[in-house]
């Protein structure tokens, strides 16, 4: 025994809804209109908000260009200079961690 009557077409569903609403008072119709309008407003806001500020801003990457006539000694000198900078940064970072460890009482 089905609980809901069978619907054969969208027209039948629309006629049934129209008959249901026509039996109600004006206040019920106003409440239905307001609730449908408010729900539609919320859905539109959600769809529009999903498109705002979702992409990360473009980042500019500058590439260091070298001259085409560099010699191997120039390249090796640049590599040594870059290696010294990396080692200095690593040493400074290690000192920072050592300072934190000393403050927290952590032993090696």
């Amino acid at each position: 025994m089905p609980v809901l009557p069978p619907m054969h077409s969208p027209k039948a569903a629309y006629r049934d809804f129209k008959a249901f609403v026509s039996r109600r008072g004006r206040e019920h119709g106003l409440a239905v209109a307001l609730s449908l309008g408010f729900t539609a407003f919320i859905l539109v806001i959600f769809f529009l908000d999903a498109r705002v500020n979702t992409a990360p801003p473009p980042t500019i990457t500058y590439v260091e260009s070298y001259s085409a006539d560099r010699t191997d000694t120039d390249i090796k000198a640049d590599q040594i200079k870059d290696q010294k900078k990396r080692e200095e940064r690593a040493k400074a970072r290690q000192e920072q961690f050592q300072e934190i460890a000393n403050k927290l009482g952590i032993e090696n």
Side-chain angles (χ1 to χ4, degrees):
M1 179 171 174
V3 176
L4 297 174
M7 295 285 179
H8 299 290
S9 69
K11 287 182 183 179
Y14 177 72
R15 282 194 304 263
D16 186 36
F17 179 72
K18 189 175 176 183
F20 173 75
V21 171
S22 67
R23 286 184 289 214
R24 302 287 179 176
R26 192 178 119 217
E27 294 82 14
H28 289 159
L30 182 63
V32 167
L34 286 174
S35 64
L36 290 175
F38 190 67
T39 303
F41 175 73
I42 290 174
L43 290 175
V44 167
I45 293 298
F46 274 119
F47 283 123
L48 293 177
D49 187 48
R51 295 183 182 164
V52 176
N53 294 333
T54 56
T59 57
I60 299 173
T61 304
Y62 295 100
V63 178
E64 185 177 347
S65 59
Y66 298 103
S67 62
D69 58 346
R70 285 180 38 186
T71 62
D72 287 342
T73 56
D74 293 338
I75 294 171
K76 288 179 183 177
D78 287 341
Q79 289 175 345
I80 291 171
K81 182 175 63 172
D82 292 341
Q83 180 65 28
K84 286 181 182 178
K85 286 181 184 178
R86 280 193 294 271
E87 288 172 358
E88 288 173 4
R89 282 195 305 261
K91 186 176 180 183
R93 187 171 172 93
Q94 185 178 10
E95 290 172 358
Q96 290 173 350
F97 279 118
Q98 187 62 44
E99 183 180 330
I100 292 171
N102 290 339
K103 287 182 180 178
L104 295 175
I106 300 172
E107 294 182 18
N108 295 341

